[in-house]
Every structure is written in C-alpha cells, then in structure tokens.
Amino acid sequence: MAEVSTGSTQRITLAKGLNAGLRAAMENDPKVIVMGEDVGKLGGVFRITDGLQKDFGEDRVIDSPLAESGILGTAVGLAMRGYRPVCEIQFDGFVYPAYDQIVSQVAKIHFRSQGKVKMPIVVRIPYGGGIGAVEHHSESPEAQFAHTPGLKVVSCSNPVDGYFMIQQAIACDDPVIFFEPKRQYHADKAELDESLTLADADPLFSSRVVRAGSDLTLLAYGPMVKTAMQSAEAAAGEGKSIEVIDLRTLSPLDMGPVLESVRKTGRVVVAHEAHVNLGMGAELAARITEECFFSLESPVLRVGGFDTPYPPSRIEEEWLPDLDRVLDAVDRALAF
Amino acid sequence: MTQQAGTTADFPGPEDVFGPSHADGGPELVQLLTPEGERVEHPEFSFDLDDEAIKGFYRDMVLTRRIDVEATALQRHGELGIWAQLLGQEAAQIGSGRALAPQDFVFPTYREHGVAWTRDLDPLRLLGLFRGVDQGGWDPNANNFGLYTIVIGAQTLHAVGYAMGMQRDGVVGTGDAERDAAVVAYFGDGASSQGDVNESFIFAASYNAPVVFFCQNNQWAISEPFERQSRVPLYQRALGFGFHGVRVDGNDVLACYAVTKAALQRAHEGSGPTLVEAYTYRMGAHTTTDDPTRYRLSSDVEAWKLKDPIARVKAYLTRNGLVDDSFFEEIEEEAEQLGHHLREGCKALPDPSPLSVFDHVYVDQTPELAAQKEAYAAYLDSFEGAH
C-alpha cells in the first residue's frame, strides 16, 4: 500500500469496505452484475450489497430464486455472454448445492474450451464462526475450493483489504472464491484513504507481513488474522517476537513472504478456523518443509478447528482456536 | 400451444396424470408427417417451408446418421474411446436445429451431433472428445454452439444465464427478426430428474428468459426407463413452473421443426420459455460401452423401427414424385465422402503434448502452476533420448 496520502480518509467497517468496493466495480464496468438471495431490496442479510439495486437497477443487482446451483449455473451462462457475475452465497454452509457448478463447470470451462471461454465469476462467501448462529452458518470450507484446480481462492481480513480485494477479484479473468470473515463485517473500523486507487493496492494474489518478528512465524488469514495479532502482542509481553503474515491468497499461495520469514525465524504456526485435517495448514506445512527444511528448528504446528462438525453455538468459543490455543502452539514450537 | 399456463381449464386431469404412459406418445402428440410418410395437419402447428426444405432435412438426417455410424465403427476399431450414439434421434435434432436463427445459441448435451451439423460445426471436431485428444475444443462463439456437457443437466442453467445475458443486451423482443435472439437448451428424459434442470425451469420462468427447453425423451437413461424419471408426461411439467409445454413426435422432422420454430418465436418476441418434449426412441445403446439387451425388449426396438425418422421422409419424397434416384445417389455419395473425412481425419487427430495440460487451467497462469510445468518439462527431458 502506498505510504503517501493526499486525499481525505474515512473510517469504515469491513462491510462498508466491501460495499464500497462492489459499488466502485459496478461503476467502472457495466458488465459487472451482482446476484444472489436477498441482495436486492434487502441489501443482503449482512447488508454488503446495501443500496446497490437502488442505484444500479434490477438488471444488475439480481434477487435470485432460492437455489444456489441455479445462481452459479446461470452465472456461467452470463459469463459466457460477456458479463462478470458476482454471486453471493448467503452463508458458507449453503455453498454445497452450488458445489457441482463451481467445481465441475466454473473451474473447468476455461480448461475444457482450451482457453476460448473465460469464467470471470466471483463467488462471495461469508464464512467462519463466532456469531452464535445455528448449524450451517459458521463453517470454513476454503480448503475444499483451494483443492480445486481452475479456481482462485482469497480471503480478506480487514476493511481496507475488503475494499480493494473485491475490486481486484472482479477484475480478475479467472473465477475467484472470495471468503469474507463474517464476524469481522461490523467489528472493527479502519481508515480508508479515498484518494488511493487499485493501482496503489497490493496485488490480489499476494501475502503480507502484518507484524515483524524474529522468533516464530505465525500464518493466518481471514478471521484469524485478528487473533494472530493479539497473540503476537501477548507473546511480546513475554519477550517472544512473533512475525505475523496475513496470507490473503489461499490459491495460489504466495510462498515468497512465508519462506523468507521462515528462513529467518525457523519456526512456524499456522492458524485457521477450519478443521486441521487436510486444511490449508497441511499444504502450508508441506510446502514449507519442501522449500526450507534445513531452516526449520521445529515441526510446523497447526492450530484450527477440531475434526468434528461445527458445534452448537454455546460451545463455539471453546471449539474455535483462540488466543490461548495459538499461544499454546507458539510455546510448543518455541520449546521444541 | 397445447398448454396454457395459468388457466386452470387446461391443467391435466387425474386421468391424464395418473393414467398409463402412452406407447405411441399419446393423443397430445404433435405430428405433421406420419410414419407412413403422409402429411397431416395440426390445428396449432404448421410446417411453413417447401419441399426443397424437406429434401434438405432428408439430406441432413442421412448425413447425421452417417456421422453416427462412422463414429461407432471408429470406436469398434479402437480409434475412439467411446461414442454416444444418436441413432433414431435424427429428426428431433435436425428439425429443432434447422429452426434456429443464426444469432440463437445452443447448449447441447454430449449427444447433439445432429444439432452440431445444423450449426455447421465440422463433425470431426466432435470426435476429439470421444478420442480423448481434447474435451471439446471448438469455439462455442464461432458457431453459437456450446461445448458438450457431460454432467447431466448442468448446461440447462448455463442456457438460462446466457438467455438472461441476451435480455440485458437488448436482443429480445425488438421486433427485428435479424436481431431477436434466444437459447435452446438440450437435455434428455433422465436429466429431467436433476435439480439443475428444475432450477433452470424456475429461473427461466422467474425472469421470463428467452429459452426453449428441448427435451429428447428417448425413453431410456442408460438402463432406466422413462417411467423411473416421471409419472407424468414431461411436457406437462412446464405447467407447474408456469410456462408452456408441448409434446411433439420426435421422429417427425417436420413437426420438430414447426414446434421448435414456434417456441423460438415466442422466446424471440419476449414471451418467455417453452418446454418441448420430443417423444423419440434411442435405437442404439446409451454409448458404445452399453448393452441394451440386458434391460429392454427387442420387440420394443422393432416397434420403433417402424417409426424411423428418415424412412418416413423418404416415403414422402418418393410417393409424391419429388425426387428421383439421382437425389438419393448424390446424398449417398456425399455420405461416403463424409465417412472418408471422418475416418481419415480421426486417425490424424494429434495427441496433445503432455505439457499442454498446464496451459489453460487459468487465464493468468499461477506462478506455482508455471513452476510445476517447468519441473515436469525438466523431468521429461531428463530421460535418455528426450528431445
């Protein structure tokens, strides 16, 4: 991000950042279409598309029938016709009816057509837990999409990234699964410098060191970035210097900053809300081991959700990895 | 149309819904040319082209059948891994395909070889998928003919989305016949059970999208008979979704043309979707790997042979003295040339390079995939004699 700022700034939430980013994308390209359940008059159940239908009309902000496969399947046809659909899946656990269209069609049509048909589709998925919801409203299915060739998968963690990354994802000619940490939507505000343009933003598929440190590398994305930062702060009080990286992109992974950090610290903890088994942490651990085996002082440790279905909400705070569980892993890695 | 949405009087009564399915397609079947080759009139649908057009349809169907025969033989010779036969469905595909305007767009299954023919796609291009050298490498936008879709019914949603795009492009209901566009979504009786097909009906109805849902009910989804998929005639399902449905004799090329043309006309003018059920029969196997003798009676097949889509047109042309022997001889000669083109062309289709698999996964290739390609290339080069 550019350091120099001349314009005015405003403090925005992630929800506001995404909304402003969607608006900017729609203003810049008349082919951008927003579609999903309740995205029109209601502005989405999280209000991320608030006001868009009023300003861009029902042809560009489409309230769809309640059918996720239908949303993605028709988005494929719209993309073939030259449009850039931005599909909202209302909650993470409702993406599965659309899974076939995403994995078998959206991800494969460019390959199938030998490059003749592009699929510039964005699938926005509010994900993760911590909002006290009923079943299917708190899941973290990102690894299932990162495992699918043909898709690109990203997750924003803060309001400013939300504003820029959604615009970059829409501008991307490949399909992007865009994971939004729903418990951050209205949580924290950050300053958005309105004079900044997309050209000032970091590339979409890049990771970022968000806190420098020398003893251990803590990898996180989406909702866990905040927890990681708090963990690093707490560890600093105990004299431990933690470097935190916000991965931002999950497929492709941007291993450059990760490897550079690990070569410096020799120790890694990966934190995500998703189940540990075959999650993003597994791939990261494998890549780190392959690329800088001799720099490692300890095994790559993973902190995440247990390998169970997401629990009833009264015990979700125990289930979700929190500051203490992250610090526990940090301690184990440092003691190895 | 035979069924008007929204008027209770036209909804089927219990006897229609729960009665036995009709082996002959039932009294509701739109037919303009009998199996004996006699022209008959229908109160709602008429064939508005001349005998020259019928001669053209005959040629289309004979050549389409030849594509099917040659491809089947190529599979038997090991040149194709598999082939999905269309034998018996020539009229449904040629009739509907010839009703399309150039600006219309087709979303096919993997059996629409006859429709591909009407879109001027070189049939050799169809073979790549079945030979395993590509996954359907033609440009959908070159002939307005989408790629073959193997997941059953998935393409019907793509069709509706494409039609929604046409609406937004302002090419529906303009009154300009050169401009008004629509989409035809092809699928089969088996696909009618898929959620995607039902969702596509809902989206199309909700947005009044310019789509013709063209269902070839060929009675069989591999080994499962139509009765396993539906307890009502398929065309009647349209009523429940709020649009028109019509059942046409799928072995009657004139009726298939006329009904599709009428449905397209409605779509073009902005009157929304139509479901056409082309009542036909899969004379061959599901694919070359299938053995229909395990699940159906040869007497059924024999009964449908009497309704052959090509024979009835030949009878019509001959009986009315519209052609002489040279007409048939010329088409036969053309079919020979087409067969030669397919046989020689198929064997000459080049295998793709193993490294090409990396090339079109993304528009913007990822650094990690580029690295994988590079590493695999180096690995291949490491073998003795590699070049």
Side-chain angles (χ1 to χ4, degrees), chain B residues 35-370:
Chain B
E36 294 73 32
E38 289 171 15
R39 289 285 299 271
V40 288
E41 295 303 318
H42 188 276
E44 284 182 71
F45 299 98
S46 59
F47 183 72
D48 56 6
L49 300 181
D50 58 15
D51 286 331
E52 281 306 305
I54 298 176
K55 287 158 74 173
F57 289 172
Y58 179 82
R59 169 182 172 271
D60 287 336
M61 290 196 292
V62 169
L63 296 179
T64 295
R65 184 167 289 185
R66 187 56 172 258
I67 294 167
D68 197 55
V69 168
E70 289 292 343
T72 303
L74 282 164
Q75 192 278 335
R76 300 296 183 225
H77 284 259
E79 298 293 340
L80 298 181
I82 193 171
W83 176 250
Q85 298 162 288
L86 65 61
L87 187 66
Q89 298 175 224
E90 295 87 351
Q93 295 196 12
I94 296 300
S96 59
R98 285 298 178 205
L100 292 158
Q103 68 272 23
D104 294 333
F105 201 99
V106 169
F107 283 83
T109 71
Y110 46 77
R111 205 188 295 279
E112 261 62 79
H113 321 313
V115 185
W117 174 260
T118 68
R119 300 308 274 176
D120 296 327
L121 187 71
D122 182 348
L124 188 56
R125 302 301 302 272
L126 302 174
L127 300 188
L129 164 67
F130 297 97
R131 187 172 168 84
V133 301
D134 60 46
Q135 292 171 332
W138 60 88
D139 182 352
N141 294 315
N143 303 62
N144 280 10
F145 184 77
L147 293 177
Y148 275 4
T149 302
I150 294 175
V151 175
I152 302 298
Q155 76 283 356
T156 57
L157 279 169
H158 308 165
V160 175
Y162 196 93
M164 290 164 64
M166 286 174 164
Q167 289 175 307
R168 281 153 183 76
D169 291 342
V171 293
V172 183
T174 69
D176 180 354
E178 307 282 309
R179 186 145 181 252
D180 280 344
V183 173
V184 180
Y186 285 88
F187 62 105
D189 44 301
S192 73
S193 296
Q194 287 281 1
D196 276 2
V197 171
N198 289 273
E199 290 186 21
S200 74
F201 289 175
I202 289 165
F203 276 66
S206 183
Y207 301 122
N208 206 39
V211 186
V212 176
F213 294 105
F214 194 90
C215 176
Q216 292 167 81
N217 177 358
N218 69 11
Q219 314 299 326
W220 293 96
I222 305 188
S223 69
E224 298 197 357
F226 170 66
E227 289 72 23
R228 183 66 64 222
Q229 316 295 342
S230 180
R231 298 300 296 268
V232 298
L234 281 179
Y235 78 96
Q236 290 181 0
R237 285 201 186 164
L239 277 170
F241 291 93
F243 53 91
H244 300 285
V246 56
R247 175 181 276 187
V248 60
D249 182 347
N251 287 15
D252 173 355
V253 70
L254 304 189
C256 286
Y257 174 88
V259 168
T260 310
K261 193 83 177 173
L264 278 168
Q265 172 66 28
R266 287 180 48 78
H268 286 159
E269 69 188 25
S271 297
T274 305
L275 171 60
V276 178
E277 178 191 6
Y279 199 80
T280 181
Y281 195 81
R282 195 195 75 208
M283 296 298 290
H286 166 67
T287 67
T288 45
T289 65
D290 180 32
D291 175 11
T293 64
R294 292 177 70 93
Y295 53 80
R296 71 183 186 188
L297 298 170
S298 60
S299 57
D300 286 351
V301 180
E302 292 303 315
W304 276 93
K305 268 186 190 165
L306 300 174
K307 302 175 192 171
D308 186 82
I310 298 181
R312 70 176 73 180
V313 179
K314 187 172 189 177
Y316 170 78
L317 294 173
T318 309
R319 181 175 304 131
N320 293 290
L322 299 170
V323 294
D324 54 25
D325 287 350
S326 67
F327 172 77
F328 298 111
E329 286 162 9
E330 280 167 22
I331 292 176
E332 191 49 38
E333 174 56 29
E334 203 177 347
E336 285 298 324
Q337 288 170 13
L338 180 59
H340 181 78
H341 169 63
L342 290 174
R343 288 191 300 275
E344 298 309 310
C346 178
K347 292 170 195 168
L349 287 173
D351 283 351
S353 152
L355 289 173
S356 70
V357 76
F358 297 99
D359 291 343
H360 298 298
V361 181
Y362 298 102
V363 178
D364 298 314
Q365 193 178 49
T366 63
E368 46 197 34
L369 203 54

Side-chain angles (χ1 to χ4, degrees), chain A residues 11 17 19 187 215 325 335:
Chain A
R11 291 184 62 75
N19 179 267
D215 296 334
R325 294 237 305 271

